[in-house]
Amino acid sequence: MIESFVFYLALVMVIIFAIMLAKKLKIAYPILLVVAGLLISLIPGIPTIKIEPELIFIIFLPPLLYEGAFQISWKELWKMRGVTASFAFIIVFLTAIIVAFVANSYIPGFSLALGFVLGGIVSPPDAVSAGAILKYVKIPKNYSTVLEGESLLNDASSLIIFRFALVAVATGQFIWQDAALSFSWMVFGGVAIGLALGFIFLKIHKIFPTDVNMDVILSLAAPYVMYIAAEEVHSSGVLSVVCGGLFLSVRRHEWLKTPESRLKGFNVWESFTFLINGIVFLIIGLDLPEISEGLKNEGIGISEAIGYGLIVTAILIVVRFIASYVIVLTLLLVRNFINVADPNPERKSPILFGWTGMRGVVSLAAALSIPVTLDNGLPFPHRDLILFITFVVILVTLILQGLTLPALINYLKIPVETPYHLSEKEASLVLQKGMKDVALSYLSENFRSDQDKNLYIKNMITRWQKNEDEESIFTLSEEGKEIYFATMEKQREWLRKETRDNPLIDEEVTRHYLLKLDLEEERLRIE
């Protein structure tokens, strides 16, 4: 028991060191973690990490999806909904179909149903990998929104394909009418359950008294409740978590009512998802020896399996490139008939989108969740080969595309600034002026008669008139602090309204100022 604890503690330290090294080298940390896991797995005597297949999705997916839904801007996602849906659904379905037919044609003994199992596994690009890489380069906001939104929704479409394919492998048949009904229930049921549970969690926070610890724990429990509840009734747990997370994200100031809850929740979630992502990518590398050993039982050589993996990887890259060009050409065509979010897409953008198809967490989780045996007790056909091909796809796309993507973005020189958003500097000036006007208006309307006799009220008005920064805050009495906190709450309300109503304001800039207000209020409360 002690040896196991020491081993897992050592893995955590490896994760931390690999991510620190990745930041030092300015490369995406998933790449180093996969390589680190692969190197560790080659050390003699290293224990094999085994996770029950049915627990893979439950442990890793809900918090990662929920955190992604909380980070993305609903306003931007809705604006780019057409392009995002095309990448998340149409391209995923198209990719899975092509992979299925190619695998059925080129891999001996690979049925079409097994091809769809493989296609469902490898079709969705990974959000974590792209997000880690894009931290070091700048791309237009609407492009990053598409990539983030695609990664939230494509998990649902790929896993639906994957699960239908598993049923077809197990039963040997595929009934289209039943599949259509099941698909409809998985989509609409998942969305409805996620929104309903999000509403319930919101009401719990409004009706019952909660403290900071309860708020954080409830936020950790929410994605698991949403996922499990949807899966129990055979709908999409992924869509449930994404929709519930988006619902609560838009209402985060109603749900996490105090600055302390929001700040602590942010810190806990950042650390939690940091660890989960690290574990998953490390497991990808650690699992290779066991997967390779399983190939021997199927009578397939390593070089042959690598060849299949490279063929599938090439298909994924080519299909995504072609589909990216088709989407841009479609936008250029339909803009003549309807309003589109981006009527003048950058001509180089398909190259960027085509090269951001790194695979990762979801593909690994799906592959590992394949049952070892069928319901009749027979081994699941070609399970180890599917696992190995998935590993090759993840490794090659992470290293090949992940290492070259920053250089490609710099080479393309796609303008970061777009006419659809103010620059960060311009947006900051608009928000600062609005916050100042709100503060002056609130203080003047409610405390005009108190200005002469209450020095702190007069000083607050003077501060906002001069647009002074936080360092110039004077010492406030307790009464003055409460007035100041009320003023800050008015500023928060205005910032949230400006985010909704002003299409030129990037929500990331607004969130920066909301965070500054929370930090300032917390600092004053503990003084």
Side-chain angles (χ1 to χ4, degrees):
M1 183 65 72
I2 294 177
E3 290 80 2
S4 296
F5 175 77
V6 171
F7 172 68
Y8 289 113
L9 181 61
L11 290 184
V12 172
M13 298 308 295
V14 168
I15 291 170
I16 294 172
F17 175 76
I19 294 178
M20 287 192 299
L21 182 60
K23 288 185 176 181
K24 180 74 174 176
L25 299 175
K26 292 188 176 181
I27 63 175
Y29 71 83
I31 299 171
L32 280 188
L33 284 172
V34 171
V35 173
L38 183 57
L39 294 176
I40 292 171
S41 70
L42 301 177
I43 301 174
I46 288 293
T48 302
I49 296 180
K50 287 188 176 292
I51 302 177
E52 291 296 324
E54 60 269 17
L55 293 179
I56 291 290
F57 284 122
I58 294 177
I59 293 173
F60 295 111
L61 271 190
L64 294 178
L65 292 168
Y66 188 79
E67 195 264 348
F70 242 74
Q71 292 301 320
I72 198 169
S73 165
W74 167 250
K75 181 179 77 171
E76 300 299 326
L77 181 61
W78 180 252
K79 185 190 301 181
M80 301 299 297
R81 60 190 181 277
V83 179
T84 303
S86 298
F87 275 98
F89 294 102
I90 298 175
I91 293 182
V92 167
F93 285 126
L94 179 64
T95 302
I97 291 169
I98 294 175
V99 168
F101 279 96
V102 171
N104 175 240
S105 302
Y106 286 93
I107 302 177
F110 224 75
S111 67
L112 191 59
L114 283 175
F116 274 103
V117 170
L118 177 60
I121 289 172
V122 300
S123 54
D126 178 61
V128 177
S129 306
I133 293 167
L134 294 177
K135 287 181 179 178
Y136 302 110
V137 289
K138 293 289 187 181
I139 63 172
K141 177 63 183 176
N142 49 340
Y143 292 1
S144 62
T145 297
V146 170
L147 292 173
E148 292 169 7
E150 171 199 9
S151 65
L152 284 177
L153 299 173
N154 65 13
D155 298 342
S157 54
S158 64
L159 293 178
I160 288 172
I161 297 169
F162 171 69
R163 288 177 182 177
F164 282 135
L166 284 181
V167 172
V169 172
T171 62
Q173 59 182 345
F174 187 79
I175 303 173
W176 286 102
Q177 297 90 331
D178 293 347
L181 289 173
S182 298
F183 176 81
S184 300
W185 167 243
M186 290 184 77
V187 173
F188 294 110
V191 171
I193 291 170
L195 293 176
L197 288 173
F199 180 78
I200 290 171
F201 272 96
L202 181 63
K203 287 299 180 184
I204 288 173
H205 281 75
K206 283 188 173 183
I207 296 173
F208 298 99
T210 59
D211 58 22
V212 175
N213 292 326
M214 293 178 189
D215 287 343
V216 174
I217 292 171
L218 282 171
S219 75
L220 290 171
Y224 290 105
V225 172
M226 293 171 185
Y227 186 88
I228 294 171
E231 291 293 319
E232 282 296 310
V233 294
H234 306 293
S235 60
S236 172
V238 171
L239 283 176
S240 176
V241 174
V242 170
C243 292
L246 286 170
F247 177 86
L248 291 174
S249 173
V250 174
R251 297 160 179 80
R252 66 182 69 198
H253 281 76
E254 300 176 49
W255 185 36
L256 302 173
K257 298 183 287 292
T258 66
E260 188 179 7
S261 291
R262 292 191 288 270
L263 292 172
K264 280 197 174 180
F266 174 80
N267 291 330
V268 168
W269 268 98
E270 192 171 40
S271 300
F272 183 46
T273 53
F274 167 86
L275 182 60
I276 288 179
N277 278 317
I279 291 172
V280 170
F281 282 103
L282 197 65
I283 287 176
I284 293 174
L286 288 170
D287 267 353
L288 179 61
E290 185 180 4
I291 295 170
S292 302
E293 190 67 27
L295 286 177
K296 297 178 182 178
N297 301 328
E298 296 187 16
I300 299 174
I302 295 293
S303 58
E304 185 182 3
I306 291 174
Y308 294 145
L310 293 177
I311 290 172
V312 172
T313 304
I315 291 168
L316 296 175
I317 293 173
V318 170
V319 170
R320 187 172 176 87
F321 262 113
I322 294 173
S324 299
Y325 273 100
V326 169
I327 287 175
V328 170
L329 291 173
T330 303
L331 280 176
L332 293 173
L333 178 63
V334 301
R335 69 180 180 179
N336 299 312
F337 307 100
I338 60 173
N339 291 327
V340 295
D342 187 0
N344 297 297
E346 173 64 43
R347 299 304 191 271
K348 300 174 184 176
S349 60
I351 302 175
L352 169 62
F353 284 113
W355 204 243
T356 51
M358 291 78 70
R359 269 58 179 180
V361 175
V362 174
S363 295
L364 173 74
L368 291 176
S369 70
I370 297 174
V372 178
T373 60
L374 300 171
D375 292 340
N376 58 13
L378 293 175
F380 193 97
H382 293 299
R383 180 180 189 271
D384 292 302
L385 178 58
I386 294 173
L387 281 168
F388 191 87
I389 291 173
T390 303
F391 176 86
V392 172
V393 168
I394 294 172
L395 187 64
V396 172
T397 55
L398 274 179
I399 293 177
L400 175 63
Q401 295 179 303
L403 288 178
T404 58
L405 183 59
L408 177 66
I409 292 173
N410 291 329
Y411 173 76
L412 293 175
K413 292 183 171 59
I414 297 176
V416 176
E417 305 298 340
T418 68
Y420 317 115
H421 293 97
L422 296 175
S423 68
E424 186 174 337
K425 183 177 181 181
E426 291 170 333
S428 294
L429 291 173
V430 170
L431 296 180
Q432 287 171 3
K433 182 180 183 304
M435 291 169 67
K436 180 184 76 171
D437 292 343
V438 167
L440 284 172
S441 175
Y442 176 74
L443 292 172
S444 298
E445 288 177 8
N446 294 276
F447 303 99
R448 183 181 298 275
S449 60
D450 298 328
Q451 288 184 42
D452 294 332
K453 61 182 180 181
N454 291 314
L455 181 61
Y456 48 82
I457 295 176
K458 186 174 182 179
N459 285 342
M460 272 191 280
I461 293 176
T462 301
R463 173 186 175 233
W464 285 108
Q465 286 174 333
K466 293 181 178 180
N467 199 28
E468 295 175 344
D469 57 23
E470 287 84 351
E471 282 71 22
S472 67
I473 292 178
F474 45 86
T475 302
L476 290 173
S477 67
E478 289 304 315
E479 184 183 358
K481 284 183 180 180
E482 292 305 317
I483 295 173
Y484 190 43
F485 296 153
T487 306
M488 294 168 76
E489 190 57 38
K490 292 295 180 183
Q491 291 176 313
R492 289 190 185 95
E493 292 174 6
W494 180 84
L495 284 170
R496 295 198 295 272
K497 183 176 183 300
E498 187 69 6
T499 301
R500 288 193 310 270
D501 299 342
N502 191 338
L504 297 178
I505 296 292
D506 181 357
E507 191 168 341
E508 281 189 15
V509 183
T510 311
R511 288 179 180 178
H512 169 73
Y513 283 96
L514 287 168
L515 177 62
K516 285 184 69 174
L517 289 174
D518 285 345
L519 289 169
E520 185 176 347
E521 181 171 337
E522 274 305 290
R523 181 166 67 85
L524 287 173
R525 286 190 183 278
I526 62 176
E527 283 183 353

